[in-house]
Amino acid sequence: MFGLGKSHTNSLRMDAPQPTSLLDIGAQNVIGKPLDRYEGPLKVSGRALYSAEYVFPDMAYGVLVGARRGAGRVVSIDAEAVTSLPGVIDVVTDFKTFIRNPGQGGETEAPTQGVEEIVYFGQVIAIVLAESYEAARDAAIRLPVEYEEAAGRFDFAAHKHETDVPPENNTPAHFGQGDLDQAMAEAAFTVDASFTTPSQNSAAMEPHASVAMWDEDRLTLYGSYQIPTKDAMQLADALGVGKDQVRIVSHFVGGGFGSKLGIAPETTAAAIAAKRLGRPVKAVMLRQQVFDATVRRSNTEQRIRLAADAHGRLIGIGHETLTSNLPGEDYFEPAGIGTHFLYPGEHRLITHDQVRLNLVLSGSMRAPGEAVGMLALETAMDMLAEQMAIDPVELRRRNEPLLDPEKNVPYSSRSLRECLDLGAQTFGWDARETRPAQRREGEWLIGMGMAAAARSNLLQSEEAKVRIEPSGRAVIETAMTDIGTGTYSVLSQIAGELLGLDPRSVDVRLGDSDMPASGGSGGSWGACGSGSAVYLACEELRRQLAKTLGVEPGAMTLKDGLAIAQNKSMPLAELVGDGIEAMGAISPGKQKDAVTQASYGAHFAEVAVNAVTGEVRVRRMLGVFAAGRILNEKTARSQCLGGMTFGIGAALTEELLHDGRTGKLVNRDLAEYHIPVNADVPQLEVLFVAERDQHSNPLHAKGLGELGISGAGAAITNAIYNACGVRVRDYPLTLDKILPGLPDL
Amino acid sequence: MKLFDYQRADTPEQAAASAVAPGTRFIAGGTNLLDLMKLQVETPERLVDVSRLELAKIETREDGGVTIGAMVPNSDLAADPHVIRNYPVLSRALLAGATGQLRNKATTGGNLLQRTRCYYFYDVATPCNKREPGSGCSAIGGVNRILAILGTSDQCIATHPSDMAVAMRALDATIVTVKADGDRRRIPMAEFHRLPGDRPHIDTILEQGELITHVELPSPPPGGRHAYRKVRDRASYAFALVSVAAVIEVEDGRIAKAALAFGGLAHKPWRDPEVEHILIGQTPGKALFEAAADALVRDARGFGHNDFKIPLARRTLIATLQDLTGGR
Ligand SMILES: Cc1cc2nc3c(=O)[nH]c(=O)nc-3n(C[C@H](O)[C@H](O)[C@H](O)COP(=O)(O)OP(=O)(O)OC[C@H]3O[C@@H](n4cnc5c(N)ncnc54)[C@H](O)[C@@H]3O)c2cc1C
Ligand code: SF4
């Protein structure tokens, strides 16, 4: 039989479309089904171990020390002042090796290292080790540190005219086509409006945590990370050791939303401390440190210009953005990324300029680019519709491009119009008052709003190994993670469909950098990428099974653990002997540029604005989405609900507040950084439009995890305008901004 | 968290006596104190656990008033049938506070003594006169959106965050205590909390070791209509930007009684006799309400981010009065 030791690799580069998918001929009929979460029982019974829960004999507890200056230099750390406290073991720092800030997603090199110079308030400068967490925390707070303070750049408004042009980030920093000024001058209708969005934090429920232990010269780190394959490379590079000397294990991740794409400061601190002590070290960030020293979504200032002809068709579109980041960091928030392909118009200007600030690193947070860019763009579209006195849904229908307006290539699949139509009908959109402030129920002004959703579809290189055991069960191994998204479930369904197994007969092993390399969870690419690798491995296994049976793969049916061919059926367990295995590998190819790939949707919201206080309550929301094949309707729906909830937060409440004098973040816990709570999240409804995408991958699926947030907040702001006639362009729309526009009592 | 001694008290008197030494704190529900200890905003040497004292009863007195034990959880108090019937403003205020989980743990005494939510108070890395007298006030000139507009000083502009206390202020509650030497005191709500002045680190007039044993509500106001209106940034789990506790009685077309207390505006639950005076004896109507609202904010001062609280307080008061009296 096959597969003793060595496994064959079935590779695919996405150079050509994949007209057929084996998922359409699978007989198990589990793909797409709203199956319960594969790992759900483990989670609800507390048996799913998260990084901070690992305990090892002789483990020391570490608590990080954050700088109490926003800019300057550490002069000295008086470790002796705390090492005499009961239970305290040591204070460890390494001014050269500690990382200054987290790594960005997908990087394989260490993030910026060196912590003697302080570039933001809260920057991690040391770790205190003790026999208990409490003792370590006490000493970390008390540790005397002497600083030399320097003038910092903390105030965006004060520095916004000092910009630089950052290097490309999935989108060029600057793009121009035609002559937008001319188009604005000639257009029948124009909008020229500026918007601001604040810095935000992912606020994942699980704080960043690492448990590090060395075995000779090999480090194993249980850490809460989204991309173990690359994070292990970042960490190895930071520590100056070989790639094979670092293993990162992230079996369960309690939410990441981008903040765990790269290694964070507790990783190197734990690793270095574990080495020095010769003991396992656990370092869990305090909630305040997650805010202070991981990643923020950059604040933005955005100018949107729309130039439309007499029919409302766009002839020009401008999206000029300012964002901020630490000195020396390349990443910029690509706020204009969705504007490149969402709407037509020959004359285009999309720019990103960076303001250098001494505030914690800005990096990817759920739907980097679209999430904030569409808050501006989709509000501007609403303003255009109002100016033309046409329905905002109709305005979008009139602006469906046939080809990508910049690249002149077709869309891989695009069902925006279907989403708009189904959404408008389901939501009861025709009941919307066209003029604002027309509907009142007691003190509450009621309004409806909508917005389009779009999120680019990305593919990473991915590998996965699939084995059929002598027992007939299948095992999947990949370094891919499940950050709450449903990876465990969808991979078990893909293998189940293709190998003819109940998904519960598939063991899914994830989140270990020793496993086949994965692009991890991020950019909505996880399910499609790792799912394709599993698909390809299963395709190879199907070939091997068919060969054993002596038939063509197409002449064989796999169902319920049986291989059926030529009217005979045979249990897989018998067929595979000592077991067979195969690797699947997918990588991006020519399809990336041959077509424009994105997922689309439409958001509808109904809100109530209190006419006395300006308080806003979302009453109901509907999101209609098309993202190619839906792999598990339940986990997909949950992703969309989560995204829409993020949209509520972005529109109404979420904002990091920095003290402009010191650069200190002041609202750094969940009592004062306001994410929506249950009472803020009303009836949310999600519908999917059936779609297949041959250009994306052999699953015919597209990214979904970030689609739900894209545009969601704009639907709410547009509904607020419709409710009360107040158009706020500075997010979030807290009541103090709405209040001045409300009528007298 | 700093190491501390822990002791469990058997009687209120014993609790008070054992807390006489500076650096001793009572712990009840712990929902505020423990958070502050983790951050080392509070660093007690010793905790006296009062949570098991037999002070968890709600009793109706002969005069119809209610005596509430200091350990009564916020949830129980809010759900008490007598309170719901006769003091609905209190029940509503309690339910507007925090979350179900916190209310199950939070006690009546602890709620009155919860500390401000000023961002800077919570962070030992920043100057704060309330936390560290003389270090300065970071909120003035800093981020102060949630802070006070009335009764502030140049030393501190913090607010008292409680909802319950605002209702108790409108109801003219009395706080009953036992001191370290065994003496008992009865303190009117009006005198219990302080304004910051030049000693913002002192929130109330309680002495070291003084234990709250009960809160007494006077016999219920007959026929009054009650409202607790809380304006906040999200629908739950957020402190009041502005809140109004109102008990209004209209007789023969005129306002006979008005008790109005405000949260989110000051270092203590705010009550202004002039506001009530303007209303009493008058026919409800918009002009009257506006006059009362003007009086409320006459001495208000914003600090930049919180300027909006001035119009917000005005509007909230007017709307509450309109609601309770039907006057337009
Ligand atoms: C995230 C969050 C949100 C919240 N939101 C709200 C809100 O919206 N509205 C609101 O009103 N509250 C809110 N709270 C506050 C909550 O109501 C208080 O934490 C709670 O009421 C305190 O009661 P406790 O029994 O837990 O007090 P503890 O934490 O045990 O004690 C608080 C203080 O009171 C002292 N103390 C306790 N009992 C006595 C006594 N009998 N005599 C003398 N001193 C005593 C303690 O020494 C301590 O200094 C919120 C709290 C949190 C954490
Ligand atoms: S307002 Fe009061 S509590 Fe806040 S920083 Fe100033 S002194 Fe401290």
Side-chain angles (χ1 to χ4, degrees):
Chain A
M1 288 281 166
F2 300 90
L4 289 173
K6 201 163 171 311
S7 55
H8 189 271
T9 300
N10 183 24
S11 309
L12 175 67
R13 223 174 82 134
M14 280 308 293
D15 285 328
Q18 303 291 305
T20 58
S21 173
L22 290 173
L23 291 173
D24 287 316
I25 59 160
Q28 194 65 26
N29 199 21
V30 290
I31 199 68
K33 291 284 173 303
L35 301 188
D36 288 345
R37 251 169 221 277
Y38 174 96
E39 78 292 7
L42 288 182
K43 285 183 172 168
V44 296
S45 62
R47 284 175 295 154
L49 268 197
Y50 288 83
S51 304
E53 296 177 305
Y54 284 87
V55 176
F56 295 101
D58 199 31
M59 188 173 75
Y61 294 81
V63 169
L64 304 173
V65 179
R68 294 181 179 187
R69 296 292 183 278
R73 199 173 64 82
V74 181
V75 176
S76 65
I77 296 177
D78 184 4
E80 274 162 31
V82 297
T83 43
S84 57
L85 293 169
V88 177
I89 304 165
D90 204 354
V91 178
V92 169
T93 190
D94 180 333
F95 279 168
K96 290 214 169 51
T97 315
F98 269 39
I99 56 175
R100 177 185 88 167
N101 50 254
Q104 298 286 359
E107 297 291 337
T108 52
E109 286 173 10
T112 311
Q113 288 176 279
V115 296
E116 186 174 0
E117 189 200 345
I118 299 163
V119 295
Y120 63 95
F121 209 114
Q123 176 186 314
V124 172
I125 54 175
I127 181 169
V128 176
L129 287 313
E131 300 297 345
S132 75
Y133 171 66
E134 289 76 10
R137 187 174 55 188
D138 176 34
I141 294 175
R142 292 206 227 178
L143 183 71
V145 179
E146 201 189 317
Y147 303 95
E148 189 181 285
E149 195 161 353
R153 298 160 63 91
F154 307 127
D155 186 356
F156 182 81
H159 294 284
K160 73 178 197 185
H161 300 293
E162 306 151 30
T163 60
D164 57 68
V165 182
E168 169 165 343
N169 170 24
N170 284 327
T171 185
H174 281 204
F175 173 86
Q177 170 180 306
D179 184 343
L180 181 62
D181 289 333
Q182 186 70 23
M184 289 292 284
E186 289 167 4
F189 299 97
T190 60
V191 170
D192 184 349
S194 292
F195 301 83
T196 63
T197 66
S199 295
Q200 298 176 332
N201 184 282
S202 297
M205 181 130 51
E206 179 203 25
H208 294 58
S210 288
V211 178
M213 52 202 286
W214 292 85
D215 181 9
E216 305 279 314
D217 281 333
R218 186 153 204 257
L219 170 70
T220 300
L221 185 129
Y222 297 85
S224 183
Y225 286 104
Q226 294 178 226
I227 318 180
T229 301
K230 291 178 182 169
D231 296 325
M233 292 159 120
Q234 291 187 5
L235 182 54
D237 189 37
L239 298 174
V241 301
K243 270 187 256 183
D244 49 0
Q245 283 172 266
V246 173
R247 175 183 174 209
I248 288 186
V249 180
S250 312
H251 290 319
F252 296 100
V253 180
F257 312 115
S259 74
K260 295 169 182 166
L261 286 170
I263 59 170
E266 98 290 348
T267 323
T268 38
I272 292 166
K275 185 89 188 173
R276 291 243 188 116
L277 263 56
R279 297 169 62 171
V281 165
K282 177 188 291 197
V284 182
M285 281 197 174
L286 310 180
R287 176 59 63 185
Q288 288 82 359
Q289 293 173 332
V290 173
F291 279 99
D292 277 349
T294 64
V295 192
R296 70 186 160 100
R297 188 205 294 282
S298 172
N299 63 310
T300 68
E301 195 170 302
Q302 308 178 43
R303 179 186 185 197
I304 303 276
R305 281 187 283 170
L306 302 176
D309 69 14
H311 304 289
R313 278 190 293 262
L314 291 170
I315 55 172
I317 188 163
H319 198 163
E320 295 154 87
T321 71
L322 286 182
T323 57
S324 65
N325 208 346
L326 284 168
E329 294 294 323
D330 285 347
Y331 180 92
F332 68 90
E333 176 74 29
I337 198 167
T339 310
H340 284 292
F341 62 85
L342 182 54
Y343 295 124
E346 199 186 318
H347 306 282
R348 312 176 74 82
L349 180 66
I350 300 170
T351 65
H352 302 87
D353 291 286
Q354 190 87 286
V355 179
R356 297 296 164 184
L357 291 183
N358 292 110
L359 300 179
V360 64
L361 181 79
S362 71
S364 299
M365 177 171 148
R366 201 171 195 173
E370 286 94 339
V372 284
M374 296 187 72
L375 289 176
L377 177 63
E378 288 299 287
T379 308
M381 285 293 279
D382 202 61
M383 294 164 75
L384 179 61
E386 194 201 12
Q387 201 190 119
M388 297 184 58
I390 63 169
D391 189 294
V393 174
E394 177 58 22
L395 177 65
R396 280 146 179 109
R397 294 176 97 259
R398 288 185 196 178
N399 280 289
E400 270 295 283
L402 288 174
L403 294 178
D404 180 302
E406 294 174 10
K407 297 182 183 147
N408 253 318
V409 298
Y411 293 91
S412 63
S413 56
R414 174 168 169 136
S415 308
L416 176 53
R417 192 185 295 235
E418 290 78 356
C419 293
L420 289 166
D421 291 349
L422 178 62
Q425 191 196 351
T426 311
F427 195 71
W429 179 249
D430 54 5
R432 169 180 175 267
E433 299 284 348
T434 49
R435 282 181 311 125
Q438 299 300 306
R439 205 174 135 199
R440 186 171 179 140
E441 294 176 10
E443 263 182 19
W444 296 92
L445 303 165
I446 316 297
M448 290 188 197
M450 59 79 54
R455 168 69 188 161
S456 334
N457 184 58
L458 304 166
L459 179 66
Q460 301 285 308
S461 294
E462 295 279 347
E463 293 175 2
K465 187 192 279 183
V466 181
R467 190 166 57 241
I468 304 177
E469 304 272 11
S471 64
R473 289 181 70 83
V475 181
I476 298 172
E477 282 185 359
T478 158
M480 171 63 187
T481 47
D482 187 325
I483 61 171
T485 40
T487 315
Y488 281 105
S489 306
V490 299
L491 296 190
S492 75
Q493 280 168 274
I494 292 168
E497 189 67 53
L498 297 181
L499 300 178
L501 292 172
D502 183 319
R504 281 168 300 187
S505 299
V506 180
D507 294 323
V508 185
R509 298 187 189 147
L510 300 180
D512 185 333
S513 63
D514 277 359
M515 291 181 184
S518 167
S521 300
S524 299
W525 60 61
C528 294
S530 63
S532 294
V534 168
Y535 173 104
L536 293 165
C538 291
E539 185 178 46
E540 170 59 22
L541 291 175
R542 288 169 65 97
R543 278 200 278 267
Q544 294 182 16
L545 290 168
K547 195 166 166 199
T548 314
L549 285 170
V551 297
E552 286 298 308
M556 170 189 73
T557 301
L558 300 178
K559 191 170 191 302
D560 297 331
L562 299 174
I564 305 152
Q566 296 165 334
N567 289 330
K568 279 186 297 186
S569 77
M570 195 172 172
L572 284 190
E574 280 178 34
L575 207 52
V576 299
D578 295 336
I580 59 174
E581 68 178 34
M583 287 279 282
I586 188 148
S587 55
K590 293 189 184 125
Q591 289 302 303
K592 182 168 176 279
D593 297 313
V595 286
T596 290
Q597 300 185 22
S599 304
Y600 297 88
H603 292 280
F604 294 83
E606 181 178 301
V607 306
V609 179
N610 190 283
V612 175
T613 62
E615 286 164 292
V616 176
R617 300 287 177 256
V618 181
R619 289 181 144 195
R620 61 190 180 104
M621 274 179 96
L622 166 68
V624 184
F625 304 105
R629 185 196 306 274
I630 300 303
L631 300 168
N632 174 326
E633 210 178 292
K634 190 181 231 177
T635 55
R637 182 171 176 275
S638 295
Q639 282 298 295
C640 295
L641 293 174
M644 289 159 75
T645 304
F646 263 65
I648 297 175
L652 300 180
T653 54
E654 288 186 49
E655 174 172 26
L656 292 175
L657 300 167
H658 290 94
D659 189 316
R661 303 165 300 184
T662 58
K664 214 195 120 39
L665 178 62
V666 299
N667 57 340
R668 43 186 211 136
D669 60 33
L670 296 174
E672 297 301 341
Y673 181 79
H674 287 162
I675 57 169
V677 297
N678 272 338
D680 296 299
V681 183
Q683 196 60 38
L684 303 186
E685 204 187 328
V686 170
L687 296 175
F688 293 111
V689 166
E691 192 185 60
R692 295 283 188 271
D693 193 312
Q694 306 181 358
H695 303 272
S696 55
N697 52 59
L699 310 176
H700 293 174
K702 292 186 290 188
L704 181 77
E706 298 165 313
L707 183 58
I709 181 176
S710 303
I716 295 169
T717 38
N718 293 337
I720 291 172
Y721 178 75
N722 183 246
C724 67
V726 183
R727 181 78 79 186
V728 179
R729 301 206 296 261
D730 296 312
Y731 286 90
L733 277 69
T734 45
L735 60 91
D736 46 310
K737 297 174 191 162
I738 294 172
L739 200 58
L742 292 177
D744 286 343
L745 293 181
Chain B
M1 194 177 280
K2 249 183 67 180
L3 288 181
F4 56 86
D5 291 329
Y6 171 88
Q7 180 185 336
R8 207 176 269 174
D10 294 326
T11 64
E13 292 72 18
Q14 188 209 357
S18 44
V20 69
T24 309
R25 282 268 188 290
F26 299 119
I27 180 162
T31 60
N32 190 216
L33 185 60
L34 287 178
D35 279 359
L36 294 168
M37 286 171 64
K38 289 177 196 167
L39 299 168
Q40 298 201 4
V41 174
E42 298 256 19
T43 50
E45 301 285 328
R46 181 143 68 132
L47 289 187
V48 176
D49 185 348
V50 295
S51 63
R52 288 169 181 77
L53 294 181
E54 287 182 15
L55 295 172
K57 281 206 217 54
I58 305 170
E59 287 163 307
T60 309
R61 298 189 308 272
E62 276 178 13
D63 66 357
V66 166
T67 299
I68 303 158
M71 297 308 139
V72 172
N74 288 178
S75 300
D76 291 13
L77 186 56
D80 183 77
H82 192 65
V83 171
I84 293 175
R85 193 169 347 104
N86 295 318
Y87 308 95
V89 64
L90 177 59
S91 180
R92 286 176 210 163
L94 283 158
L95 293 177
T99 64
Q101 295 91 325
L102 282 160
R103 292 193 296 268
N104 287 342
K105 219 38 197 144
T107 65
T108 307
N111 190 314
L112 287 169
L113 291 172
Q114 62 176 295
R115 317 256 2 231
T116 184
R117 287 282 158 172
C118 173
Y119 312 113
Y120 299 98
F121 177 72
Y122 269 76
D123 189 343
V124 293
T126 53
C128 165
N129 287 327
K130 186 181 275 300
R131 183 168 26 76
E132 214 181 310
S135 61
C137 171
S138 297
I140 299 175
V143 184
N144 51 43
R145 184 172 174 275
I146 60 176
L147 299 183
I149 55 168
L150 286 167
T152 55
S153 75
D154 59 4
Q155 301 281 302
C156 179
I157 59 171
T159 54
H160 191 264
S162 169
D163 291 298
M164 180 194 83
V166 179
M168 287 183 172
R169 179 74 182 91
L171 291 168
D172 285 316
T174 301
I175 290 157
V176 185
T177 69
V178 56
K179 294 210 253 186
D181 59 9
D183 279 0
R184 294 186 169 269
R185 270 222 271 188
R186 295 169 51 80
I187 310 166
M189 256 308 269
E191 291 162 27
F192 185 74
H193 292 100
R194 297 179 64 254
L195 287 180
D198 55 10
R199 290 184 304 151
H201 60 291
I202 306 174
D203 290 350
T204 70
I205 64 160
L206 288 187
E207 295 167 13
Q208 176 67 43
E210 190 167 2
L211 177 80
I212 300 178
T213 58
H214 301 89
V215 174
E216 290 179 3
L217 302 181
S219 49
R225 295 193 64 193
H226 293 218
Y228 187 76
R229 181 159 188 165
K230 176 174 178 179
V231 185
R232 50 185 143 176
D233 278 325
R234 57 182 171 189
S236 170
Y237 199 46
F239 293 91
L241 293 167
V242 168
S243 72
V244 185
V247 181
I248 304 275
E249 208 181 315
V250 181
E251 247 177 49
D252 304 329
R254 287 177 188 276
I255 297 176
K257 273 192 201 133
L260 295 163
F262 300 85
L265 301 185
H267 199 254
K268 61 188 224 176
W270 190 259
R271 194 164 166 185
D272 184 340
E274 198 199 330
V275 175
E276 295 168 18
H277 182 77
I278 290 174
L279 296 168
I280 289 169
Q282 306 297 320
T283 311
K286 189 158 173 234
L288 178 71
F289 300 157
E290 282 182 344
D294 288 341
L296 172 70
V297 299
R298 183 163 303 136
D299 297 325
R301 175 182 165 206
F303 292 84
H305 304 124
N306 69 350
D307 293 350
F308 72 97
K309 284 192 176 188
I310 299 174
L312 183 63
R314 264 190 104 257
R315 293 172 74 97
T316 309
L317 173 58
I318 294 170
T320 306
L321 292 171
Q322 287 178 332
D323 225 28
L324 289 182
T325 64
R328 295 284 140 184

